[in-house]
Amino acid sequence: MALLLATPALADGLIDNVNGITLDEQGRVQRFTGLVIGDDGKVKALLDRRDKRPKELDWREDGRGQTLIPGLIDAHGHVLGLGFQATSLDLSGTKSLAEAQAAIKAWADANPSGSWIVGRGWNQEAWGLGRFPTAADIDAVVPDRPVWLERVDGHAGWANSAALRAAGVTAKSVSPAGGRIEKTAAGAPGGVFVDAAMQLVQKAVPQPLPRERDAALVKAQDILLSSGVTATADMGTSPQDWAAIRRLGDAGGLRIRIFSYADSLDTLTTIAGNGPTRWLYGDRLRMGGVKLYADGALGSRGAWLKAPYADAPKETGLGFLTDDQLQNQMSRAAMDKFQVAIHAIGDRANSQALDAIDELSQTYKGDLRWRIEHAQIVDPVDIPRLARAGTIASMQPVHQTSDWRMAEARLGPNRLVGAYAWRSVLDGGGRLAFGSDYPVENPNPFVGWAVAISRVDAQGQPPGGWYPQQAVTREQALKAFTIDAAYASFAETKVGRLAPGMQADFLLLANDPLLASPGELRAMRPNETWVGGKRMFKR
């Protein structure tokens, strides 16, 4: 490794006395004890304990034996959504409808001035409710102000009667294509709106002010850095989100790296024009693609299935686009070298996405790196197709521990072989990119890492892991949170591993994650988070 240090006298900084861990391009573990950082914020050398240290340095840090690993990358998150959840009503911790009602009332009492109460995080499955909540359930605690609350997965919304009135939703309102209005026995809107139907209410919700959006972005950045996330894909960037990120970048305050995927083709072409933007703010921001939706989510029965739901035999979910519509949108992006990321959860949606990729790969050559986001329920016969066109399976380990009981109820025992099937993707020659889908789930990558190797939740459930044959190794999970998460966003020459010329993005940890038990790994938090050779967070 000494040969990597060409000009030690010009080195600006050294972090020494560390248990350094990184992966090479093939995912093999490399260890080192010192990291030399140039004045450009990039790695100049990895030093073994036998290598001589530079004599002339601008600064030197004693790592005190801590473990140093590459910064972790979340391949699928929602940056502004995380910030807004942290600054609005959050129901993600509630365990019953009664708890949720108490939280809604407490928020209303503590925030009497707002015209609307907005929030997210409810999950009728976690409440054991056996049904969707209703407008009357909110009316019981807040009857006088409009309330709009997104489900934990963002694929359903819950409104009270005041919100329905404000939005003009009545018994005559019709479910739009790709959406569903939950109705009462009498045929009136029940209060829950699934997928595309959410817009019937959302159009009436006041948009956040620019200063509120800026505050949410700063809050999200703080949460991610404290969790050990140094870079993230932002799935579904709106024009307003992009403007907020640019404002923060222009002010010199963008401390994480954001790989932006536009929320629509219109947004993509308005912001990026005829091709991916250049890297901005020292490789901190780039819009390189678009996120499309093939279906909804499993929890709201919007995931599009090949066969009916086991617990709702008349429903197969919601396909958002016809085959022609999906291929048309993908073509419009691919012709200008934009990357396409397709949200697909149900096996029918994943099959549709793979069919489209197979078809378009014959027309559009070159390095397009098609992505399927979530790939939660895939027919086993379709899993090998991921490798055929180099399609990236962008998956979130934490969804498995949140969803396994619900998945069993929704699908029955015979359709779970291809559910959250990380090992099968790798065995079939596919490439995994791991993330969390925050704020749907906890953004802490160590939680996802622990789940990936164990298939159990924080309580150790289910014993032995849920379909444990689908677990991956510690090293495979680390690769999916670093090298392959970077590759998934065309950033592998900049971040994802520590090597000369790469950005010096890294974490300092108290313990070695490659030696930790799943429980110990789940509990890990970075002592320090560095981005571009600068300390951005210290615990």
Side-chain angles (χ1 to χ4, degrees):
M1 289 188 181
L3 295 177
L4 301 178
L5 187 58
T7 53
L10 300 178
D12 281 341
L14 169 67
I15 296 187
D16 208 357
N17 186 24
V18 295
N19 171 35
I21 298 171
T22 189
L23 302 176
D24 66 14
E25 291 178 273
Q26 286 72 45
R28 295 172 300 205
V29 174
Q30 288 185 311
R31 292 189 178 265
F32 56 94
T33 61
L35 183 72
V36 183
I37 302 171
D39 59 5
D40 58 357
K42 295 181 180 179
V43 176
K44 294 199 90 166
L46 307 180
L47 301 179
D48 197 354
R49 64 180 71 256
R50 297 180 298 274
D51 295 327
K52 290 184 178 180
R53 274 40 185 170
K55 292 182 179 179
E56 296 183 27
L57 292 165
D58 292 337
W59 56 271
R60 185 185 191 118
E61 288 264 342
D62 182 355
R64 306 183 311 281
Q66 295 177 97
T67 295
L68 188 157
I69 67 171
L72 298 176
I73 301 170
D74 195 307
H76 184 114
H78 309 278
V79 178
L80 270 294
L82 180 64
F84 281 125
Q85 177 168 291
T87 55
S88 63
L89 174 56
D90 180 9
L91 299 177
S92 60
T94 57
K95 297 294 190 294
S96 68
L97 174 60
E99 274 190 27
Q101 288 173 312
I104 295 166
K105 186 177 189 309
W107 180 272
D109 291 344
N111 299 272
S113 59
S115 58
W116 280 65
I117 295 171
V118 295
R120 69 176 293 153
W122 60 272
N123 183 354
Q124 82 283 2
E125 297 292 328
W127 298 343
L129 196 58
R131 61 171 174 84
F132 276 125
T134 66
D137 292 327
I138 305 178
D139 294 344
V141 291
V142 182
D144 53 338
R145 293 162 65 188
V147 178
W148 176 244
L149 307 167
E150 288 191 20
R151 193 178 184 277
V152 62
D153 56 17
H155 285 270
W158 177 24
N160 67 348
S161 296
L164 299 181
R165 289 192 296 271
V169 176
T170 68
K172 295 180 181 179
S173 297
V174 177
S175 296
R180 184 176 70 247
I181 303 172
E182 291 291 320
K183 298 289 185 75
T184 67
V192 166
F193 299 77
V194 179
D195 288 314
M198 295 170 66
Q199 187 57 32
L200 297 173
V201 179
Q202 280 178 326
K203 68 180 190 296
V205 180
Q207 287 295 303
L209 298 172
R211 66 172 178 269
E212 294 170 330
R213 205 173 289 273
D214 293 348
L217 175 57
V218 170
K219 182 66 174 177
Q221 182 171 246
D222 290 343
I223 293 169
L224 292 170
L225 289 168
S226 68
S227 300
V229 175
T230 55
T232 180
D234 186 45
M235 281 292 164
T237 309
S238 70
Q240 295 82 6
D241 295 342
W242 180 262
I245 298 168
R246 291 298 307 265
R247 285 195 294 271
L248 188 61
D250 289 345
L254 190 59
R255 297 184 293 143
I256 58 171
R257 304 189 193 279
I258 298 177
F259 314 140
S260 171
Y261 292 77
D263 63 359
S264 68
L265 287 166
D266 286 345
T267 298
L268 183 69
T269 54
T270 298
I271 291 172
N274 297 320
T277 70
R278 61 187 179 88
W279 289 94
L280 303 168
Y281 313 119
D283 297 337
R284 301 270 168 101
L285 178 64
R286 175 181 182 261
M287 179 175 282
V290 63
K291 183 186 180 187
L292 305 177
Y293 283 89
D295 69 345
L298 205 59
S300 53
R301 295 192 188 87
W304 192 17
L305 303 180
K306 292 183 176 183
Y309 280 85
D311 58 356
K314 294 182 179 179
E315 296 182 26
T316 55
L318 301 167
F320 286 6
L321 300 169
T322 66
D323 294 349
D324 287 345
Q325 287 172 330
L326 178 60
Q327 290 187 30
N328 177 264
Q329 293 196 31
M330 293 169 67
S331 293
R332 289 171 59 193
M335 66 176 59
D336 285 324
K337 307 299 183 186
F338 287 115
Q339 191 181 16
V340 175
I342 307 167
H343 166 113
I345 289 182
D347 53 9
R348 177 68 184 89
N350 277 282
S351 181
Q352 182 193 42
L354 288 165
D355 288 346
I357 289 168
D358 284 347
E359 180 71 25
L360 295 178
S361 294
Q362 305 305 310
T363 303
Y364 299 102
K365 304 299 183 181
D367 190 8
L368 291 172
R369 301 189 195 178
W370 310 101
R371 297 176 53 141
I372 295 182
E373 304 304 310
H374 310 306
Q376 282 180 217
I377 313 298
V378 184
D379 189 326
V381 302
D382 287 330
I383 289 176
R385 299 174 64 195
L386 288 163
R388 189 181 304 167
T391 301
I392 296 158
S394 169
M395 303 179 75
Q396 299 76 44
V398 283
H399 281 322
Q400 178 258 303
T401 45
S402 295
D403 293 357
W404 67 270
R405 292 181 180 86
M406 176 190 66
E408 290 181 348
R410 296 283 189 270
L411 300 172
N414 298 324
R415 285 187 284 171
L416 298 173
V417 176
Y420 313 87
W422 316 315
R423 170 71 70 174
S424 292
V425 170
L426 291 180
D427 288 349
R431 190 187 289 257
L432 282 176
F434 276 164
S436 67
D437 198 15
Y438 66 79
V440 175
E441 300 280 4
N442 185 338
N444 191 316
F446 294 98
V447 175
W449 195 349
V451 171
I453 67 172
S454 68
R455 308 276 290 189
V456 300
D457 64 17
Q459 289 72 47
Q461 296 296 317
W466 191 74
Y467 290 82
Q469 66 272 24
Q470 292 294 349
V472 297
T473 68
R474 283 169 176 75
E475 293 79 9
Q476 287 169 334
L478 176 58
K479 185 169 183 275
F481 272 116
T482 54
I483 290 174
D484 287 341
Y487 176 88
S489 291
F490 287 88
E492 74 277 8
T493 63
K494 301 179 181 298
V495 295
R497 60 192 183 94
L498 297 170
M502 303 287 284
Q503 292 283 357
D505 296 0
F506 58 89
L507 311 177
L508 289 172
L509 309 171
N511 299 300
D512 187 333
L514 297 184
L515 302 177
S517 70
E520 292 167 340
L521 188 55
R522 176 183 284 272
M524 282 189 180
R525 303 291 183 271
N527 290 332
E528 297 183 18
T529 302
W530 291 59
V531 178
K534 294 183 179 179
R535 186 189 290 109
M536 296 298 179
F537 166 80
K538 185 171 184 177
R539 193 165 301 283

